[in-house]
Amino acid sequence: MHLTLTVKVDLERVDEMDLEQKLSEWFEWFHAHPELSYEEYETTAKIKEILKDAGVEILPYSLETGLIAIVRGALEGPVQALRCDIDALPILEESGLSYASLYEGKMHACGHDFHIVAGIGCALLLQSQKESLKGAVKIIFQPAEEASIGAYKILETDVMEDVDCIWGLHADPTRDVGVMGIKEGFVTAAVDRFVITVTGVSCHGAHPDDGVDPIPAGAAMVQALQTIVTRNVNAFHPALLSVTRFQAGNTWNVIPEKAELEGTVRTLEKTDRVLFEKRIREIVSGIAQAYGVKAELTWMPGPPATYNDAEMVDKATEVAKECGLQPVVNECSMGGDDFSFYEEKIPGCYIKVGTGKGQTIHQPGFAIDQRALQKTAQYLKEVIVSNM
Ligand code: NI
């Protein structure tokens, strides 16, 4: 009895407040208070405060950062999840916004502040009609997406065990507000990282014959690694390898002992991830032998490719049209998102939400057009309801 009364009172509060105005206030707060991966303490506290105030139930998981809210419908139905990532990046903001980051060198430059507020808005809207909802909706405020493995923190709990499907979103600054990028199949790539340490023998720059130079060996590896893409991978499979760091030596007349190379491999097909690791090992060890150096490869697998379920894509597209939004088939990105870890268990759909054209994500001038807030919250709510 008491519970019913509490909910009713809170529902009135949700109805009373101008949701658009509230979403904007909250968004500006989150934007001004960015926190890096695994450090999202204030962010978590603020999300909790807003949801509790609106009478939304928070599940009692003891996560260090991040939280999981639930809206339980009055009727029987499936359990769905919505994933919103909450962390920021180590970037010095140059957006010029009145509500720019208060923390120097930290910035919500990937729109995760937008994801938080869209998730809160969706939760509040679902909460306000829970009497007619079927099943339940778990809204996952996930830490540390930028660290590529924050999803593990959620998956270590049993929260996903009864979940039938999961929705995800990402801000897209290449499209106008109201445009929804929805694509069946692959939408982001698998993200793997590698480090190669090449060890030779240091000597005077004028006497290379006294040592073993690791630099030509490293340079040969950079060249040869590219042939995996052009000579080993099926020509119909998108794949790439980038060597992004090559460090060796510290002066002009000394041949250094070591060279270090680091980079990333992006693939869609699972078999290509295996192929890359195998070929990198073969190439690195073959070149090391040919140049008389020692070489060590460290292979760090990250999230797999994100794959959108066909039925969920159809629903999301249909609902976008019904909401007067513009669904478009977006291209697959060779970027990654740890949303894919959830999809190793259940079907998912990851939607690219137009947030107004401007600087790309991870740039100091990145900004969200706030007109996307209410639209996205409403849209996500409708998509989830349509799937009950
Ligand atoms: Ni992001």
Side-chain angles (χ1 to χ4, degrees):
M1 190 62 195
H2 175 70
L3 190 69
T4 317
L5 189 67
T6 309
V7 169
K8 206 168 180 185
V9 169
D10 286 327
L11 282 187
E12 278 165 13
R13 287 172 61 183
V14 172
D15 288 340
E16 269 172 26
M17 64 191 183
D18 179 355
L19 189 60
E20 193 164 10
Q21 173 64 29
K22 279 287 177 197
L23 294 181
S24 169
E25 272 173 35
W26 294 330
F27 173 73
E28 294 188 5
W29 189 93
F30 285 111
H31 189 82
H33 299 80
E35 294 176 295
L36 302 182
S37 301
Y38 300 117
E39 296 172 4
E40 309 94 334
Y41 296 101
E42 277 186 287
T43 307
T44 301
K46 183 73 174 177
I47 298 169
K48 198 176 274 183
E49 179 195 314
I50 295 168
L51 292 176
K52 274 192 165 172
D53 210 31
V56 177
E57 180 183 347
I58 292 162
L59 291 172
Y61 289 106
S62 53
L63 295 164
E64 183 83 14
T65 55
L67 64 92
I68 299 147
I70 187 166
V71 179
R72 299 180 200 268
L75 311 168
E76 285 287 301
V79 179
Q80 303 184 68
L82 169 65
R83 181 277 216 150
C84 309
D85 40 6
I86 65 171
D87 54 330
L89 287 158
I91 292 175
L92 183 64
E93 179 158 0
E94 293 170 13
S95 67
L97 292 167
S98 60
Y99 53 92
S101 172
L102 297 172
Y103 304 147
E104 199 178 333
K106 297 179 190 176
M107 178 188 175
H108 268 297
C110 200
H112 298 187
D113 46 356
F114 166 69
H115 304 168
I116 295 169
V117 174
I120 290 174
C122 177
L124 266 54
L125 289 165
L126 287 166
Q127 176 80 6
S128 71
Q129 64 179 82
K130 61 192 286 183
E131 298 309 321
S132 63
L133 294 186
K134 295 186 195 131
V137 185
K138 291 179 175 178
I139 299 111
I140 297 168
F141 294 93
Q142 181 210 297
E145 188 279 326
E146 299 294 354
S148 280
I149 48 171
Y152 271 129
K153 292 280 170 201
I154 304 294
L155 290 163
E156 275 167 11
T157 72
D158 63 2
V159 67
M160 298 304 291
E161 268 170 27
D162 63 346
V163 175
D164 298 296
C165 68
I166 184 160
W167 302 93
L169 75 155
H170 206 288
D172 181 355
T174 69
R175 296 210 164 95
D176 293 324
V177 173
V179 182
M180 297 290 166
I182 311 167
K183 176 188 177 293
E184 186 185 329
F186 290 115
V187 284
T188 70
V191 179
D192 295 320
R193 175 177 169 190
F194 61 86
V195 175
I196 301 165
T197 307
V198 184
T199 308
V201 177
S202 177
C203 59
H204 195 297
H207 303 287
D209 50 311
D210 286 343
V212 181
D213 190 347
I215 293 178
M221 287 173 194
V222 173
Q223 299 282 355
L225 289 175
Q226 290 304 329
T227 64
I228 303 173
V229 179
T230 60
R231 305 293 85 181
N232 302 136
V233 175
N234 183 321
F236 292 98
H237 293 186
L240 66 84
L241 179 152
S242 294
V243 175
T244 52
R245 182 171 69 85
F246 187 145
Q247 280 174 322
N250 55 11
T251 188
W252 67 283
N253 56 0
V254 179
I255 289 171
E257 183 198 10
K258 284 184 193 295
E260 197 166 75
L261 288 70
E262 184 169 12
T264 185
V265 170
R266 305 297 169 104
T267 50
L268 300 185
E269 303 290 341
K270 282 187 182 129
T271 50
D272 289 336
R273 297 182 88 177
V274 179
L275 172 73
F276 264 97
E277 185 186 354
K278 176 174 171 284
R279 286 296 293 139
I280 293 173
R281 282 196 191 284
E282 288 169 354
I283 288 169
V284 165
S285 102
I287 289 175
Q289 200 184 2
Y291 283 74
V293 293
K294 288 198 183 104
E296 194 189 341
L297 171 72
T298 308
W299 178 257
M300 290 167 266
T306 303
Y307 190 91
N308 275 355
D309 177 76
E311 268 182 46
M312 293 174 77
V313 163
D314 286 347
K315 286 229 163 80
T317 307
E318 214 35 59
V319 171
K321 287 180 199 158
E322 285 164 18
C323 290
L325 302 167
Q326 190 193 339
V328 296
V329 178
N330 55 299
E331 287 184 357
C332 176
S333 161
M334 294 310 270
D337 194 304
D338 68 1
F339 181 75
S340 55
F341 282 125
Y342 300 98
E343 293 186 331
E344 291 188 312
K345 296 177 183 292
I346 48 168
C349 180
Y350 179 87
I351 300 164
K352 296 288 281 288
V353 178
T355 49
K357 288 177 186 163
Q359 273 196 19
T360 60
I361 55 171
H362 296 215
Q363 294 300 303
F366 173 81
I368 298 275
D369 182 334
Q370 290 197 34
R371 286 174 302 167
L373 293 170
Q374 168 102 343
K375 273 187 178 22
T376 307
Q378 188 80 34
Y379 169 67
L380 292 170
K381 190 269 281 181
E382 296 295 343
V383 169
I384 290 168
V385 169
S386 81
N387 200 40
M388 285 176 170

